[in-house]
Amino acid sequence: MKTPEWLNTAVFYQIYPQSFYDSNGDGIGDLNGITEKLDHLTYLGINAIWLNPIYHSPFKDAGYDITDHTRIAARYGTETDLTTLIDACHQRNIKITLDLVPGHTSEQHPWFIHSTTNPDCDRYIWTDHWFGDADGLPYIAGETPRNGNYIINFFKCQPALNYGFGRRRHAWQKPSTSQGAETNRQAIADIMKHWLDKGIDGFRVDMADSLVKHDPDKKETIRTWHNIFNRIRPHHPNAAYIAEWGNPAQSLKAGFHTDFYLDWPGNGYNLLVRDKHPYFAPNSPHTTQDFINLYLPHYNATRDKGHFSLISGNHDTTRLAHHLDETSQHLYYTFQLTMPGVPFIYYGDEIAMTWHNLPTHEGGYTRTGSRTPMQWTTNTNAGFSTNPNTYLPTYTNTNVETHRNNPHSLLNHIRTLIHHRHTQPGLHAHQPLTFIPTPNPRIMAYRRGEGIEVYINVSTQNTTLPSGGTTLIHTYGGATLTDNQLTLPPMSAAILKPTQESYPHK
């Protein structure tokens, strides 16, 4: 497996399509709306997009309950609209990836409906009796004529597709060699090829680690993904595959190119920004070494095999601005956009959109508050739609227009950081990382390729460090470089690179 070269310089922007921009006035964002707003992404320096699901769905889980994987939901537009978006992205040198949901379908999918009355159909996971448990797996009983209960992945409306069991203890638990598992592997490969043939550049894969059940070491799941990728890669060798897995040692072995540092309690990403006292907040008790201890084993195990990527947030988490004040957000983005891996920015995070406590909508529950419409202007509905009845409530506490007009705004700081990431080869995704010890346990310091050094002071102390033979290329919060001494005021950051004379060219 070879990682597509374009991932090394990619900065992704995640778009929740129903909330980005409404082009036709029906109150819901759509594909043409994304096309109309591509200039915003170009202004930021974004060169890759991940779209949440756009497929036909009853929307009981906001589109992650699919009834037709090759049909676009009418509320988003048509296949022609997608083609227009793909072409517009490629004209701007922006890659576009779709969400792939291989682990389950909607309960309204024709595949599942067929299985409810056909006991020989093993495309889904059914127990062999209407009564009894399901070996610890979540299940639904009493809903269909079939004499059995069906396993679900999340909600009742999401029956799990069968890819086999790693550990089998009951007759109804099929091996990965079963006909249903093979049919599903081929179906997912066909779906992927369908969209790749239309010009998309890859997939983010939902719950990628969950296909094979009772597979604690993920060996069968890894084999399953190799089987699927082997059917696709000869046709589309430059497509990128992004795993929602959270364990790069497994996901990269399975054939994915990048994995996310997901928001799990007690892990490194959670410690940085979502802990009760997050590292990037002033006066946090967490030290830099606390993060290094959690992050470095993942990095060392996978650094030459693919990418382990940091996110600002996503559609499943409370917004970054809910946890960090404005200064802390500036410092987090300095960190995110100078670290290894492929960075992902969730729409609206660049203008510090925050989480709102809203009633659940389309299965969002507490996630609903992170899915509100993009805030473009101070106009009606924050410039998202002309319809007063929008998908979710709109807010005008922050907006793109105001941020663009303020040279010191979060948006413009992120834009500058992305520019450095693109123009400094040492900051590209694959370049090596070495943490630099400092006397202050609350300074994050590290070296990237070609001698670039990053210093982020999240403490309340002014700190001065020696830094000979370097040039200051970026600063935040008043950091200065004078006479080979780097001075970092509280809550500040600096990016340095070797001076031309001091850098040993090969």
Side-chain angles (χ1 to χ4, degrees):
M1 182 198 72
K2 183 179 180 182
T3 300
E5 183 63 30
W6 63 265
L7 277 179
N8 287 323
T9 56
V11 178
F12 269 84
Y13 191 83
Q14 180 192 347
I15 294 177
Y16 194 67
Q18 51 266 61
S19 290
F20 196 59
Y21 184 65
D22 171 21
S23 71
N24 61 6
D26 66 356
I28 300 177
D30 46 54
L31 294 171
N32 286 336
I34 298 170
T35 302
E36 289 186 28
K37 292 296 187 179
L38 287 179
D39 285 347
H40 171 63
L41 276 61
T42 301
Y43 177 81
L44 270 177
I46 297 294
N47 57 6
I49 295 172
W50 154 32
L51 292 183
N52 286 98
I54 58 173
Y55 317 113
H56 194 257
S57 169
F59 292 100
K60 293 184 178 181
D61 186 23
Y64 282 92
D65 50 321
I66 298 169
T67 52
D68 190 335
H69 296 78
T70 58
R71 177 182 168 192
I72 294 172
R75 73 187 195 179
Y76 298 132
T78 66
E79 193 165 297
T80 299
D81 296 333
L82 178 62
T83 299
T84 299
L85 174 58
I86 292 170
D87 290 344
C89 285
H90 289 167
Q91 288 168 11
R92 291 168 170 80
N93 294 316
I94 296 173
K95 303 291 186 180
I96 180 168
T97 62
L98 300 183
D99 224 317
L100 182 70
V101 187
H104 54 262
T105 68
S106 165
E107 62 186 348
Q108 298 179 31
H109 197 293
W111 298 345
F112 182 72
I113 293 172
H114 172 78
S115 77
T116 62
T117 56
N118 290 272
D120 294 330
C121 177
D122 63 347
R123 293 198 64 178
Y124 294 82
I125 306 174
W126 291 88
T127 66
D128 53 9
H129 197 273
W130 67 271
F131 186 76
D133 67 23
D135 199 13
L137 295 169
Y139 69 94
I140 298 297
E143 287 286 310
T144 76
R146 184 163 171 167
N147 182 27
N149 306 321
Y150 65 89
I151 308 304
I152 59 172
N153 271 349
F154 198 47
F155 291 154
K156 166 189 171 294
C157 62
Q158 292 165 318
L161 285 162
N162 169 38
Y163 294 91
F165 280 72
R167 185 198 67 227
R168 299 170 59 212
R169 300 196 300 189
H170 302 279
W172 55 267
Q173 295 172 337
K174 307 293 184 181
S176 59
T177 55
S178 66
Q179 183 57 52
E182 167 56 22
T183 301
N184 288 333
R185 288 191 294 266
Q186 185 59 54
I188 294 302
D190 289 343
I191 291 164
M192 295 165 75
K193 188 173 184 300
H194 172 86
W195 294 114
L196 290 166
D197 285 348
K198 293 184 181 298
I200 72 150
D201 300 290
F203 294 94
R204 174 268 188 185
V205 180
D206 183 67
M207 296 176 63
D209 64 327
S210 70
L211 299 192
V212 178
K213 305 304 182 187
H214 290 342
D215 185 28
D217 57 7
K218 302 300 178 183
K219 287 184 178 179
E220 288 300 322
T221 303
I222 289 168
R223 287 193 188 99
T224 293
W225 279 114
H226 278 293
N227 185 293
I228 293 170
F229 286 140
N230 286 342
R231 305 173 195 225
I232 295 298
R233 284 205 161 98
H235 306 284
H236 296 279
N238 292 317
Y241 302 104
I242 304 154
E244 184 190 31
W245 196 304
N247 187 335
Q250 293 177 344
S251 60
L252 301 183
K253 187 176 180 180
F256 288 91
H257 300 117
T258 187
D259 194 358
F260 296 116
Y261 211 173
L262 296 170
D263 181 26
W264 293 344
N267 77 0
Y269 171 74
N270 182 273
L271 179 143
L272 290 176
V273 297
R274 297 178 187 280
D275 182 84
K276 184 178 180 181
H277 302 288
Y279 170 85
F280 273 98
N283 299 311
S284 170
H286 297 301
T287 68
T288 300
Q289 193 62 46
D290 293 336
F291 168 74
I292 292 173
N293 291 343
L294 294 167
Y295 170 81
L296 206 54
H298 290 297
Y299 175 75
N300 287 337
T302 60
R303 57 174 293 180
D304 298 320
K305 300 177 177 64
H307 303 299
F308 192 37
S309 297
L310 291 161
I311 62 175
S312 68
N314 61 34
H315 59 291
D316 287 332
T317 63
T318 47
R319 290 262 187 189
L320 190 70
H322 182 66
H323 303 273
L324 299 178
D325 65 19
E326 182 177 350
T327 297
S328 296
Q329 290 175 68
H330 279 271
L331 296 180
Y332 175 74
Y333 284 109
T334 304
F335 167 78
Q336 184 197 13
L337 292 167
T338 56
M339 280 286 282
V342 183
F344 284 74
I345 297 173
Y346 184 48
Y347 85 98
D349 280 355
E350 74 274 23
I351 55 169
M353 282 177 58
T354 194
W355 177 84
H356 298 274
N357 187 9
L358 296 175
T360 186
H361 183 62
E362 294 189 347
Y365 295 93
T366 57
R367 304 174 298 174
T368 303
S370 295
R371 301 174 177 184
T372 55
M374 182 66 173
Q375 297 164 205
W376 296 103
T377 67
T378 57
N379 297 334
T380 302
N381 296 328
F384 164 71
S385 173
T386 58
N387 192 315
N389 299 311
T390 54
Y391 173 75
L392 287 171
T394 57
Y395 300 89
T396 56
N397 58 304
T398 181
N399 63 80
V400 171
E401 183 178 55
T402 301
H403 272 252
R404 283 190 65 162
N405 291 332
N406 177 3
H408 304 294
S409 68
L410 181 65
L411 180 149
N412 279 316
H413 186 207
I414 290 171
R415 181 188 187 218
T416 299
L417 289 165
I418 292 174
H419 172 76
H420 287 310
R421 189 174 182 92
H422 288 326
T423 58
Q424 298 293 333
L427 292 177
H428 291 173
H430 65 295
Q431 293 286 0
L433 165 76
T434 304
F435 286 102
I436 301 171
T438 73
N440 186 334
R442 294 271 293 149
I443 289 181
M444 180 82 74
Y446 47 92
R447 186 174 292 108
R448 296 294 313 282
E450 299 189 355
I452 289 180
E453 296 177 357
V454 181
Y455 295 86
I456 305 171
N457 183 7
V458 295
S459 78
T460 57
Q461 300 173 358
N462 192 80
T463 303
T464 298
L465 302 168
S467 187
T470 56
T471 301
L472 186 67
I473 62 172
H474 181 79
T475 182
Y476 174 79
T480 58
L481 180 64
T482 306
D483 297 329
N484 294 329
Q485 294 289 311
L486 174 66
T487 300
L488 294 164
M491 304 301 285
S492 67
I495 304 174
L496 314 176
K497 74 172 184 178
T499 58
Q500 192 72 19
E501 293 77 14
S502 66
Y503 184 67
H505 293 278
K506 293 182 180 179

